[in-house]
Amino acid sequence: AYTQENKRLQLNVAFNYGGRNEIVNTTRQLAQAVSEGKLSVEQINEETIENCLFTAGCPDPDLVIRTGGDLRASNFLLWQAAYAEWYFTETLWPDFDEQEFYKALISYAKRERRYGRLSENEMSR
């Protein structure tokens, strides 16, 4: 299938990161570029925004693992995780081991990635 030839995994760990701060920083960069005449308002789109994010050049996450039992995004990758699958676990980060990671991957493997589209079942109704 599509990923059968994949040979690597990219893991991003963020320290002292805030999604709102990232969006404010991106907005300021774009506003500055417009005020300097380097960019028109019409040129602002998803790609220009993504190029100004702290994660520019990194792929959007397929899976976000939220440890510690909290069921919220907590200001994490607010733009990038729009279509990510989320896995929530009661396990605290210091105790999140290979076995817990495997559980998250098994859960992820069972999901239908829709990227905002309807599922096959919803479309046939």
Side-chain angles (χ1 to χ4, degrees):
Y2 179 71
T3 59
Q4 72 185 13
E5 300 298 322
N6 285 358
K7 303 275 190 254
R8 60 186 207 124
L9 171 75
Q10 182 168 336
L11 173 67
N12 295 323
V13 180
F15 295 98
N16 198 23
Y17 163 88
R20 287 183 173 189
N21 179 40
E22 178 178 41
I23 292 169
V24 168
N25 181 70
T26 297
T27 304
R28 286 180 179 153
Q29 285 183 54
L30 293 171
Q32 184 70 35
V34 169
S35 74
E36 293 173 357
K38 296 177 181 176
L39 186 70
S40 71
V41 171
E42 292 76 21
Q43 290 174 302
I44 298 174
N45 55 33
E46 288 188 19
E47 184 179 353
T48 57
I49 291 170
E50 289 169 0
N51 288 335
C52 292
L53 295 172
F54 298 153
T55 57
C58 295
D60 287 344
D62 294 308
L63 175 64
V64 176
I65 300 171
R66 180 64 163 114
T67 60
D70 293 317
L71 301 177
R72 61 178 179 266
S74 295
N75 197 26
F76 187 70
L77 298 177
L78 299 176
W79 176 276
Q80 300 88 332
Y83 295 112
E85 296 294 322
W86 287 75
Y87 178 79
F88 298 93
T89 177
E90 295 288 327
T91 305
L92 298 173
W93 174 246
D95 300 320
F96 193 84
D97 58 13
E98 186 176 336
Q99 182 180 6
E100 291 296 323
F101 183 60
Y102 184 72
K103 288 179 190 177
L105 293 180
I106 294 297
S107 173
Y108 173 77
K110 294 177 182 177
R111 300 181 190 190
E112 176 189 355
R113 299 296 310 275
R114 298 191 319 255
Y115 303 96
R117 296 182 305 269
L118 295 175
S119 72
E120 292 295 323
N121 291 334
E122 293 169 318
M123 290 173 43
S124 64
R125 289 186 206 166

